[in-house]
Amino acid sequence: MAHRISLFVSLATVWLLLSGHYTGLLLTLGAASCVVVIAISHRMDVIDHESHPIHLGWRLPGYWLWLLAEIVKANIDVARRVVDPSLPIDPRLFEVPAHQKTDLGRVIYANSITLTPGTLSTDVSRDKIQVHALSGAGEDDLRTGTMDAKVCALEGNS
Amino acid sequence: MSPQFVIVAIAILATMGLAVSRAVVGPTVFDRILAANTFGTKTVLLIAVVGYLTGRPDFLDLALVYALINFIGVIAALKFIKFGHFADHRSESNR
Amino acid sequence: MTLALDLVSWACLMLGAAFVVIGGIGLVRMPDFFTRTHPAGLTDTLGAGLILVGLMIESGWSLNLAKLAMILIFLLFTSPTASHALAHAALVSGLKPWTKPGADSEQNRSKP
């Protein structure tokens, strides 16, 4: 039930922000379409903790801030390699362990790896993720396991 | 007219040109889809910037819709290349 | 708008434009498909992010800010998904990643 309420709140927010017209008719239409979408999603059985991960709660913004810092660092590194006339790249394919307990955690980990330029997840299995990295620096960063631990902490004990 | 938007628009257009050249050169089909994807996200940015450049921020709605279509288009193109058709018979027989 | 906000907006837009162009150059310079995905990610994360943040500062507190934020969040969610799907499909289809000492880059360009 909490997921449905949360879905209704996010759908209503999107409607209110995108429409910009706050008259009775349009607000009624908006509420009606939100209810219809939730009814259809309920029939499709797609509303659960994976499609709507509210249990991550307030840990998520903190993780995003940390990930943002990582992304900025990685961006500067990759940009430096691209503009360097000698093109100092050393691409490699390797596997890193993934200690997340749920599928959602592994997906967050794999997407975080891909979102950071210089590393790209190419395959996800139960306990490890295959990664293509542009340079040795990207591989060393992942091998320290900091991101893995951060995603595990984000998952919590649920 | 604000000069900063003109500079950004030119930069985005230059990148779109580079992406098109990569899409033409290839050499594999994945290079072409990657270039098309980059071209699409740059189109989203260009629409937003041009909206501000011409003083019509309503363009943002178009940018939002284009972002949605671009993502679905890339996934659909990938699936088409992989299977040769959009219908996935195997998943239907499992139901 | 105050001068300070104006300067921050200019800085964001110019830096974003620089990242977008560098990403485009990388897309052409890199030797093979897998290495090309990295500069493409460059334009999708910090390039797009800085340009959209610059526009957000320009628009001030309005509905446009929310729309720009929505575009940014959507791009940040979908771009890694598309990159992963592409790279996975390329790897499954038998495309071999280019490696540094490999002077024989021709064999890597086998058709999928």
Side-chain angles (χ1 to χ4, degrees):
Chain A
M1 198 59 215
H3 292 114
R4 282 160 190 75
I5 293 168
S6 152
L7 180 62
F8 184 82
V9 170
S10 32
L11 284 173
T13 313
V14 168
W15 176 282
L16 291 176
L17 289 178
L18 284 185
S19 101
H21 294 277
Y22 304 116
T23 58
L25 173 69
L26 283 170
L27 288 180
T28 317
L29 285 175
S33 50
C34 290
V35 169
V36 168
V37 167
I38 289 173
I40 294 174
S41 309
H42 179 74
R43 258 183 77 84
M44 287 169 72
D45 200 20
V46 290
I47 310 178
D48 54 18
H49 65 281
E50 280 191 355
S51 69
H52 221 72
I54 47 176
H55 62 280
L56 299 180
W58 296 108
R59 292 192 293 268
L60 204 52
Y63 177 71
W64 279 355
L65 275 181
W66 177 82
L67 187 63
L68 182 70
E70 290 294 302
I71 288 174
V72 171
K73 271 189 276 176
N75 260 293
I76 293 167
D77 180 61
V78 172
R80 223 194 51 236
R81 285 174 200 280
V82 169
V83 292
D84 195 314
S86 60
L87 206 64
I89 58 167
D90 184 12
R92 72 268 313 274
L93 205 60
F94 58 94
E95 280 176 344
V96 288
H99 298 110
Q100 286 73 32
K101 288 186 288 284
T102 57
D103 286 345
L104 181 70
R106 273 189 292 279
V107 168
I108 291 176
Y109 187 30
N111 261 7
S112 304
I113 290 174
T114 312
L115 200 53
T116 322
T119 49
L120 169 72
S121 62
T122 52
D123 202 0
V124 182
S125 53
R126 283 221 72 78
D127 53 356
K128 51 187 184 291
I129 295 177
Q130 193 184 35
V131 180
H132 183 269
L134 190 58
S135 64
E139 178 178 359
D140 296 342
D141 262 5
L142 277 181
R143 288 241 183 260
T144 59
T146 318
M147 189 184 273
D148 190 24
K150 288 262 179 192
V151 180
C152 283
L154 174 71
E155 257 187 328
N157 323 318
S158 52
Chain B
M1 173 133 338
S2 330
Q4 73 266 41
F5 297 136
V6 180
I7 299 172
V8 175
I10 291 172
I12 296 173
L13 279 172
T15 303
M16 286 165 92
L18 291 169
V20 168
S21 74
R22 175 48 71 197
V24 170
V25 174
T28 67
V29 67
F30 301 107
D31 288 294
R32 295 178 213 274
I33 300 181
L34 179 70
N37 184 22
T38 309
F39 189 85
T41 50
K42 295 297 95 55
T43 312
V44 175
L45 291 181
L46 186 67
I47 294 172
V49 171
V50 166
Y52 275 80
L53 182 63
T54 55
R56 294 172 64 189
D58 315 335
F59 276 31
L60 289 180
D61 295 328
L62 305 183
L64 197 56
V65 170
Y66 203 94
L68 294 162
I69 293 177
N70 181 49
F71 173 65
I72 295 171
V74 167
I75 299 296
L78 262 183
K79 190 169 182 196
F80 189 71
I81 286 160
K82 206 167 173 186
F83 297 109
H85 54 77
F86 288 120
D88 192 350
H89 299 299
R90 288 171 310 163
S91 67
E92 267 172 25
S93 62
N94 287 340
R95 289 276 159 124
Chain C
M1 187 188 299
T2 62
L3 184 68
L5 273 183
D6 226 359
L7 280 179
V8 174
S9 158
W10 262 84
C12 282
L13 286 171
M14 291 306 115
L15 268 176
F19 270 110
V20 164
V21 170
I22 290 172
I25 294 170
L27 202 60
V28 172
R29 271 193 86 189
M30 288 294 173
D32 86 324
F33 166 74
F34 292 98
T35 48
R36 273 172 211 140
T37 53
H38 300 297
L42 200 70
T43 69
D44 281 347
T45 53
L46 216 49
L50 282 174
I51 287 178
L52 289 175
V53 167
L55 292 180
M56 276 184 215
I57 295 169
E58 199 81 27
S59 64
W61 287 106
S62 63
L63 276 185
N64 292 330
L65 183 124
K67 284 179 192 170
L68 285 166
M70 238 182 260
I71 296 176
L72 179 58
I73 290 172
F74 192 78
L75 280 183
L76 288 183
F77 268 86
T78 56
S79 109
T81 314
S83 299
H84 171 80
L86 258 170
H88 184 68
L91 209 62
V92 166
S93 79
L95 198 66
K96 293 274 182 298
W98 179 90
T99 46
K100 197 178 184 183
D104 52 343
S105 60
E106 279 309 307
Q107 63 142 41
N108 295 332
R109 295 184 177 175
S110 54
K111 279 299 265 184

